[in-house]
Amino acid sequence: MKDVAQRAGVSPKTVSNVINGVVFVRDETRERVLAALTELDYVPNLSARGLRNGRSGVIALALPDLATAYSAETAAAFVELAHERGWGVQIEQTGAEPHREAELISRARAHLVDGLVLNPVRLAESAIVTGGQLPPVVLIGEVQQDLVDSVSVDSVAAARDMTAALIARGHRRILALGTVRADFDTASARSRTEGYRQALAAAGLPHDPVLEVGVPWTPGDAAAAMRAHLARHGAPDAIFAFTDSMALGALSELWRAGLAVPADVAVAGFDDVVEGRFASPPLSTVSFDRRAFAATALELLERRILDRDAPRERRVVPHALAFRASTGD
Amino acid sequence: MKDVAQRAGVSPKTVSNVINGVVFVRDETRERVLAALTELDYVPNLSARGLRNGRSGVIALALPDLATAYSAETAAAFVELAHERGWGVQIEQTGAEPHREAELISRARAHLVDGLVLNPVRLAESAIVTGGQLPPVVLIGEVQQDLVDSVSVDSVAAARDMTAALIARGHRRILALGTVRADFDTASARSRTEGYRQALAAAGLPHDPVLEVGVPWTPGDAAAAMRAHLARHGAPDAIFAFTDSMALGALSELWRAGLAVPADVAVAGFDDVVEGRFASPPLSTVSFDRRAFAATALELLERRILDRDAPRERRVVPHALAFRASTGD
DNA sequence: ACGCACCATTACAACGATGTAATGGTGGAC
DNA sequence: GTCCACCATTACATCGTTGTAATGGTGCGT
């Protein structure tokens, strides 16, 4: 900046004023500075700016597992919308480990990022509970917590609705894929299991533990679990996988077993990822507006960054059921 | 830091020395400082550190479209490996637009990121060609260019190998999905189209323009194109989609048309994404080690960051063909 | 007892941008 | 002609950290 100032024959501060659009700059001066700016191909040092005014213009987005289609779509929405607000997005993977979550919060406090959008997996162990100085944080997903803002879909209602829809289509033995298991006990799994059970109860259907298949939320684990289930218990009427990703794994295994979807078994998922839309057959699923979700989270985060003491907010984004061929629609 | 120093009864610089593991610190002093550090819950200001020593410890990863399974797996590999090197990853979406690429290079020069891993889409228009002051950049993907380091898979060979494998399985009319089109002319599309043609020529098979379907690389576009093709020209013997994502779209459309895979039409993809592994039927594809790919890119980037004048390198990561049920394997 | 070497610590400046307060310069009113 | 108001610009300090050079203190050899 010093060089630019010298070239334009003004002080560094005047250059700063031009860059930041301060009003009291004579047109002639401004033009001289702008010329020098482009001639020297000046680029501001954001570390310095960040140091000076306490903002880096970067937020962090932390997801449990980046390697999934769901993460990809979520990240894309956040990056695009954050960019509109002039923010960069630093992306992080927590691997569902609380210590990684805590680490990220430290990083945020390290002023490298102005705020943090965090998708925690377990509540009790979550780093958030450790009071202390919290940077601006917005939680996304099922984990709710008293100290910070959050955005979520009503997973209980969504799972209940989808299960009810399967029941309405005449299915009785509905396998839930991805329910809570001792070694895989997440808030999302709990909500969706809860919704599933509520729908069964409401319809007066028996609750069969065999139909609750606890399994890590990956297509591979889902496929393996389905294979074991089919061998031991035969085919259910329908499968409600708690993520599209697991539903795809289930579809693959059904194909392998020579079972037709939806003729022999109906299948539904959760998330509405693109790959589900183009599955064979296309997957019925719980859908929600990813952009609206991200926009809400960013809105809360910005509010929190501007005012640390703003009242805590908990927003719920509406969901909808998308019925496609995998349930015979 | 000043507070910590005061509490420990030393100067700020000594605190800094303790934090950075400088040798000449008496054990007793170190302990006092460490105690003060934890008592005050000190977190270093990374903007200040970045300003002082010219490194932010963050790199940028720029991909054309974040909302794909391929991007997700790529990003996950980069984030994980970068984290091992102590780097954060800022993620960006270029939308295949050269001006976004140029913008990112500016950002890199703005010292918010120490380097940039860029997946450009078109060569001629790419921002890289505008000489000027370049920050440390590593290109990934097919776009090759003289000024900067790059890592890629040999797409021509890979496409040739896969096409040859389809020919070896007795297929003659092999549809290539995602070939170059006037309004969608990318380096990757060129390489793969080239490899496809080479294999046909090597086998003495005729080159039928009808079988080269130019289409944007998304499952939706692929499905639509397949539908049109099936209606007009009937089913080919096999389909070689230039991404798994398009292959999934094609599978979906074949399912819709009542065509059996692989009995009626064989299908192969490119990328080996998880969703392809669990497609119905599982997708044959061109596979490569994503982690090794990312590791190579990061290695080149680090080298470049440490030495701007290091000789330019162009690395090729090996690929392999994975044959699964979609080609009858 | 003196000086020297060596280790531990400190004072100071600098990284680059920007807020604050002060300065310089111009035009108008009386 | 003088003074004031007001606009444009500048000098200086500051954000938090760390490299450099200087300082202080201890123990050893002679």
Side-chain angles (χ1 to χ4, degrees), chain B residues 134-148:
Chain B
L134 276 185
V137 175
V138 171
L139 298 188
I140 58 176
E142 300 310 308
V143 172
Q144 301 278 324
Q145 195 265 6
D146 285 343
L147 294 170
V148 297

Side-chain angles (χ1 to χ4, degrees), chain A residues 59-60 62 101-102 104-109 113-120 126-129 131 133-140 143 145-151 296-308 310-313:
Chain A
I59 63 166
E101 295 171 5
L104 291 170
I105 288 174
S106 263
R107 277 246 231 172
R109 284 195 301 144
V113 299
D114 298 338
L116 176 61
V117 176
L118 177 64
N119 184 351
S126 172
I128 301 289
V129 295
Q133 270 294 0
L134 275 186
V137 175
V138 172
L139 298 188
I140 57 176
V143 171
Q145 197 264 5
D146 284 342
L147 294 169
V148 297
D149 302 311
S150 67
V151 184
T296 307
L298 291 176
E299 187 190 314
L300 290 184
L301 188 60
E302 180 154 44
R303 196 188 53 122
R304 175 67 49 198
I305 288 172
L306 296 175
D307 175 13
R308 297 285 188 117
R312 199 181 114 283
E313 272 201 48

